[in-house]
Amino acid sequence: MIKADLHIHSNHSDGRSSVRDILRTAIDRGLKAVSITDHDTVNGSLEALEIVEEEHLPIVVIRGVEISTAQGHLLAYGIDRDVDKGIDLIEAVEIVKKLGGITSLAHPFQFYRHGACRLKYFKVVDCIEIFNARSLPIFNTLSNFFRKRYGKGITAGSDAHKAEFVGSGVVVLRNASDERSILNALKSGLCDVKGEISIRNVFWRI
């Protein structure tokens, strides 16, 4: 059984913490996998991979990025190149698929943070983020409802922009030990989610 935070931002985009601080915090909190999903750049997750490999750290790094599409934010996992921001969401999904990755709608319905709202986008992705620690409960509940309706996989994360919030939203997986097996488990919905919504995390910019 492993716990994985699949939505974290570093100082490669609008996060405040370094990749090294994020990894240190994740390990201290017992996480076994993370994905640094900076806005429109894979550089944070690639740096995390380098640090883990060089220092033999006990954590799996899943390559990730949060793509700013024209219709809302899209999480992509398992890719190592950037996807142009501002493109159509469906086009972005197709690009990620060709690159061998999987996709998940980030914080759906949370329109003021560029969450996708139209149901047609739920049909084209592999997964839905059903717990985001910076989303109000109603948005997470709606996301899970439509995930079940369309038979999609599951992702969850802290959406941390500071290391102190890492681990406040996680997926719990069994029989998964590397990037590929974790992505397969997410896509199949073979995981649970746990988390806690912190007002300090929701309003971290203040």
Side-chain angles (χ1 to χ4, degrees):
M1 181 182 297
I2 69 170
K3 293 180 180 179
D5 187 340
L6 302 176
H7 193 161
I8 303 170
H9 296 278
S10 77
N11 57 9
H12 280 274
S13 62
D14 61 342
R16 299 281 181 86
S17 301
S18 69
V19 171
R20 190 175 299 277
D21 285 345
I22 289 168
L23 291 172
R24 184 181 301 115
T25 301
I27 292 169
D28 287 346
R29 293 182 178 172
L31 300 185
K32 298 300 182 183
V34 293
S35 187
I36 297 180
T37 52
D38 283 309
H39 293 287
D40 305 306
T41 177
V42 297
N43 289 344
S45 63
L46 296 183
E47 181 187 346
L49 271 176
E50 291 178 1
I51 293 173
V52 167
E53 290 175 359
E54 289 173 1
E55 302 183 14
H56 307 288
L57 300 180
I59 194 165
V60 175
V61 174
I62 300 165
R63 294 168 294 165
V65 61
E66 186 170 9
I67 306 165
S68 304
T69 78
Q71 292 81 23
H73 287 176
L74 178 72
L75 293 163
Y77 301 105
I79 65 173
D80 55 11
R81 55 156 280 195
D82 296 340
V83 177
D84 291 339
K85 65 180 180 180
I87 67 172
D88 183 81
L89 188 147
I90 294 175
E91 182 183 355
V93 168
E94 292 172 349
I95 291 172
V96 172
K97 186 178 297 185
K98 288 178 181 177
L99 293 172
I102 70 170
T103 53
S104 180
L105 290 184
H107 44 76
F109 301 112
Q110 204 171 11
F111 57 91
Y112 53 90
R113 286 208 298 136
H114 308 290
C117 297
R118 299 183 65 180
L119 294 182
K120 73 175 186 177
Y121 300 119
F122 282 70
K123 299 177 182 180
V124 300
V125 294
D126 298 299
C127 304
I128 306 295
E129 187 178 56
I130 65 169
F131 183 86
N132 179 295
R134 295 189 63 218
S135 291
L136 298 177
I138 183 61
F139 296 118
N140 289 328
T141 299
L142 280 171
S143 299
N144 194 30
F145 175 83
F146 286 104
R147 177 202 71 83
K148 292 177 180 177
R149 177 174 174 177
Y150 294 117
K152 298 298 180 177
I154 294 171
T155 68
S158 62
D159 202 351
H161 287 67
K162 292 182 178 180
E164 65 181 286
F165 300 122
V166 168
S168 56
V170 298
V171 292
V172 182
L173 308 104
R174 298 169 181 82
N175 302 318
S177 58
D178 57 16
E179 181 184 80
R180 183 45 53 186
S181 61
I182 290 171
L183 295 185
N184 287 338
L186 297 173
K187 193 173 178 180
S188 302
L190 299 176
C191 52
D192 299 313
V193 302
K194 290 185 178 181
E196 150 180 6
I197 295 173
S198 160
I199 296 301
R200 289 183 61 245
N201 190 14
V202 172
F203 297 106
W204 72 275
R205 291 180 185 273
I206 297 176

